[in-house]
Amino acid sequence: MGQKEINGALKEEEHIMNQRKEKIMERKILVVGGVAGGASAAARVRRLDAHARIVMFERGEHVSFSNCCLPYHLSGTVENSDALVLMSPEKFAKQHDIEARVWSEVTEIHPREKKVTVRNLQSGECYEEEYDKLILAPGASPVMPEGIVGIRQRHVFSIRNVADIRALKKYIDQNHVRKAAVVGGGFIGVETAENLKMAGLSVTLVEGSSQIMLPFDYDMVQILHKEMLDCGIELYLSGILKEIKEDCIVINRQGKEETIEAEVVVMAIGVTPETGLARKAGLEIGKTGGILVNKNFQTSDPDIYAVGDAVETFHRLLGRPGRLALAGPAQRQARAAANHMYGETDGNHGFIGSSCIRVFGQNAACTGLNERTAKEAGLVCAYAHAIAPDKVGLMPDSHYMNLKLVFEVPTGRILGAQAIGKGNTDKRIDVIAAMIAMGGTLEDLKELELCYSPVFGTAKDVVNLAALIGLNLLNGRYRQVPVTDVRRLVEEGAYIVDVREEHEFEAGHLKGAHSIPLSQLRQRMEEIPRDIPVYVHCRTGQRSYYAICCLQGHGYENVHNVSGSFLGISLYEYFNDKTGDRVPVVTEYNFN
């Protein structure tokens, strides 16, 4: 090729590049909805494209606010509700050259014409806007079942945005409300109940299932039940709301109607994805009711993307469709969608479901699958239950942490974990979440090198300890029985050996248990029968493990370690004993 031809080819390439630049400069991106999904997508587009015209529509008053912090305004933790608003339209315009239109509802999408119809909710005016690309981030709305009598009364609230929390706070203050009922025991319900109680109200929480916080297994969540009960929250589990009256609510529990006094009612029974706009436009809806998206978060129309609480993605561990209404995944989805518009592919990696919550003095965190969901999915799994100090015991703020690690059998692949305690449970669960994302096993977790200082943790962290317990179980080093079986064992008169010291036994023990301290075990071993099952426990599981090894080393074959040991037993039995008015299987609870 001669120089002339080369020059011609270069000019042609330059012409094509200029055409592409002009096309990019003319690009118009519309975003429906703000907060974590929409606002993050708009901001990412601007970072990738300095010339695009970006218009964001929000039907409410605020386009960007901290929805996760909303309940904390009720207690005054977030004193000024204005602080909940993160970005104003003016700030979006000045900092990012993004036009944010509040009180603007997108009522229709016209995919063929690549237009949307917008209604100004203040003036009533309707107009159309064209787009090159459209991002849907409508979020999810609180479930408010019309079948509940009285649900539309003025003293019934839900929490979705800043206006909602302001209205609830104003109603409580102006009407001098003293008694509140929260319906729903998920994240919003529990946080709302906690903050109302901190504000000085008498609070009742009603939950339709047998436990609050369904991401946690029943044996673990009893710690949170106890904490709420001890802090003055009245819990009504397995209670279905039937009617809301002016000064009370009526629930059905175990076939009986019960009346609970309530001057204000907060509905927090869940959310449903906002898919009305997408359905109307003919976009495909997934099996779980969210907007169906592909690996690049494109809907069934390639020029329309969807992110956040309204979309259906998939559970990474189960490999099936699912939805997760959390800010972190929404932000990652927003970035991936914006990147794809400009030729970068992040991919849709689904979710594993990591979350955390504070319940008064207890911190709770979880990731991946709990034991219940793993078994329901048909996975063959087992779990390790570790109870260990969150930092060196000599430190004045050292506390026990409960950690449950769920793993696959026989591979040892980590499936999920839950941790509850006064310390940094989120730190431990974050570590395990990273291991799950990388396909980690118990062996990997056992060898994980973690930071250590007496004021931060222990040399063998509870995370490593749980992996060691799991490996012992996986390799058949010993057998365990769950804490859920302890009541049955006591009632059946099983042979239970308590290897704590005598003063610990006297402070509280399982009824019918035999006190043989570990320090005396070798001298008193012949007291333990060899022809029947023997169940061993201590306070946290460490001494009982030593005892199991000793007994097995001396020919005992039918011995079992009680998972959770006495601390776990006390925590598990306490709530049901108190609320169920049943006879305890322990002489005294011991939580120290």
Side-chain angles (χ1 to χ4, degrees), residues 84-330:
L84 295 166
V85 181
L86 303 178
M87 291 278 285
S88 65
E90 294 75 21
K91 202 169 183 179
F92 268 109
K94 289 180 180 179
Q95 291 191 2
H96 304 293
D97 190 24
I98 294 172
E99 185 179 354
R101 301 180 190 174
V102 295
W103 302 117
S104 298
E105 181 180 16
V106 176
T107 58
E108 284 187 86
I109 303 170
H110 311 284
R112 288 188 179 180
E113 296 83 7
K114 298 185 74 171
K115 294 179 180 179
V116 298
T117 300
V118 186
R119 178 188 294 120
N120 185 312
L121 296 178
Q122 291 180 311
S123 67
E125 173 196 1
C126 289
Y127 60 92
E128 291 184 340
E129 285 280 357
E130 296 181 341
Y131 64 84
D132 291 302
K133 300 291 181 182
L134 175 65
I135 303 174
L136 300 180
S141 57
V143 175
M144 299 286 282
E146 293 297 335
I148 297 173
V149 179
I151 198 167
R152 294 298 173 184
Q153 295 181 79
R154 60 187 291 267
H155 69 298
V156 181
F157 295 84
S158 62
I159 298 176
R160 184 182 184 182
N161 52 39
V162 177
D164 290 340
I165 207 70
R166 282 174 174 167
L168 173 57
K169 182 78 162 59
K170 182 179 179 181
Y171 185 89
I172 290 171
D173 292 344
Q174 289 186 346
N175 293 278
H176 307 290
V177 172
R178 305 310 307 160
K179 295 182 179 181
V182 178
V183 183
F187 286 93
I188 295 297
V190 170
E191 289 170 346
T192 300
E194 177 192 37
N195 281 276
L196 288 172
K197 185 64 183 178
M198 290 170 65
L201 277 68
S202 173
V203 182
T204 298
L205 189 146
V206 177
E207 165 57 42
S209 72
S210 60
Q211 68 171 83
I212 63 170
M213 301 302 300
L214 286 173
F216 293 83
D217 280 316
Y218 188 75
D219 53 352
M220 290 291 286
V221 85
Q222 300 307 324
I223 305 169
L224 302 182
H225 287 168
K226 176 186 181 300
E227 184 71 8
M228 297 195 80
L229 193 69
D230 290 352
C231 291
I233 302 288
E234 288 190 62
L235 280 180
Y236 285 77
L237 303 178
S238 301
I240 305 300
L241 179 63
K242 293 297 182 182
E243 183 178 358
I244 302 173
K245 298 183 178 180
E246 188 175 336
D247 58 356
C248 67
I249 61 173
V250 179
I251 68 170
N252 187 300
R253 192 162 60 143
Q254 297 175 342
K256 296 180 181 179
E257 279 198 354
E258 297 183 56
T259 300
I260 302 167
E261 292 184 42
E263 301 163 272
V264 69
V265 179
V266 181
M267 297 295 298
I269 61 175
V271 295
T272 184
E274 291 267 12
T275 59
L277 190 61
R279 290 177 186 272
K280 197 174 179 181
L283 301 180
E284 198 169 339
I285 304 300
K287 294 178 180 178
T288 64
I291 302 170
L292 188 67
V293 294
N294 65 12
K295 65 179 182 178
N296 300 309
F297 295 95
Q298 291 170 297
T299 66
S300 50
D301 183 317
D303 290 321
I304 303 176
Y305 293 74
V307 299
D309 297 355
V311 307
E312 174 182 281
T313 57
F314 66 95
H315 198 295
R316 193 186 307 186
L317 290 166
L318 297 176
R320 65 188 186 196
R323 292 185 287 110
L324 185 67
L326 290 174

Side-chain angles (χ1 to χ4, degrees), residues 11-26:
K11 285 184 179 179
E12 178 64 23
E13 185 177 344
E14 184 180 357
H15 176 68
I16 293 171
M17 292 297 294
N18 287 333
Q19 282 185 322
R20 287 177 179 173
K21 286 180 181 179
E22 288 173 8
K23 189 174 182 181
I24 289 175
M25 288 177 67
E26 295 169 357

Side-chain angles (χ1 to χ4, degrees), residues 316-318 369 379-382 405-416 435-436 438-444 474:
R316 193 186 307 186
L317 290 166
L318 297 176
L369 303 175
L379 295 173
V380 181
C381 66
L405 182 67
V406 183
F407 56 91
E408 187 178 50
V409 176
T411 65
R413 179 171 65 113
I414 302 167
L415 298 175
M435 296 297 289
I436 292 173
M438 302 299 290
T441 66
L442 292 174
E443 189 66 37
D444 297 321
L474 189 66

Side-chain angles (χ1 to χ4, degrees), residues 66-86:
S66 180
N67 50 359
C68 297
C69 288
L70 294 175
Y72 296 92
H73 178 52
L74 298 172
S75 62
T77 302
V78 178
E79 188 174 354
N80 189 341
S81 63
D82 290 339
L84 295 166
V85 181
L86 303 178

